Amino acid sequence: MEVTLKYFGQLVDVLGTHEETRGIEQNTSAALLDHLKKNNAIGHIPFQLAINQKLIDQDENVKLKEGDVIALLPPYAGG
């Protein structure tokens, strides 16, 4: 299945891109997060997860669907 992954903040620096469309084998948010953390150096960066613009808890195990947009949102500051 194909999903769009969007990265922000420090995650852009580590992953080298803001957005990518990727074919994935994982069909739940928990499995995808586990895969991303194991295969990229992002485990040390805290972030919030949003699926189709809805924030979810990383402990939730949301079923992913073809075409989902998944955003990894690290903490931000500003004024």
Side-chain angles (χ1 to χ4, degrees):
M1 120 179 64
E2 279 199 355
V3 297
T4 299
L5 298 168
K6 294 187 174 193
Y7 310 111
F8 298 88
Q10 284 181 289
L11 295 168
V12 173
D13 297 333
V14 172
L15 296 166
T17 187
H18 288 276
E19 181 177 318
E20 64 180 321
T21 300
R22 182 189 287 195
I24 61 169
E25 295 177 11
Q26 301 77 20
N27 65 353
T28 65
S29 58
L32 178 61
L33 283 175
D34 186 51
H35 174 77
L36 289 172
K37 288 178 180 179
K38 284 182 180 176
N39 294 294
N40 300 284
I42 64 170
H44 68 286
I45 302 171
F47 59 87
Q48 180 91 29
L49 187 69
I51 299 176
N52 299 324
Q53 299 183 348
K54 181 183 177 205
L55 291 174
I56 67 161
D57 190 304
Q58 285 193 28
D59 295 333
E60 287 185 63
N61 201 13
V62 177
K63 184 157 177 65
L64 299 175
K65 300 178 293 300
E66 178 78 25
D68 278 349
V69 177
I70 302 157
L72 284 67
L73 308 162
Y76 59 91

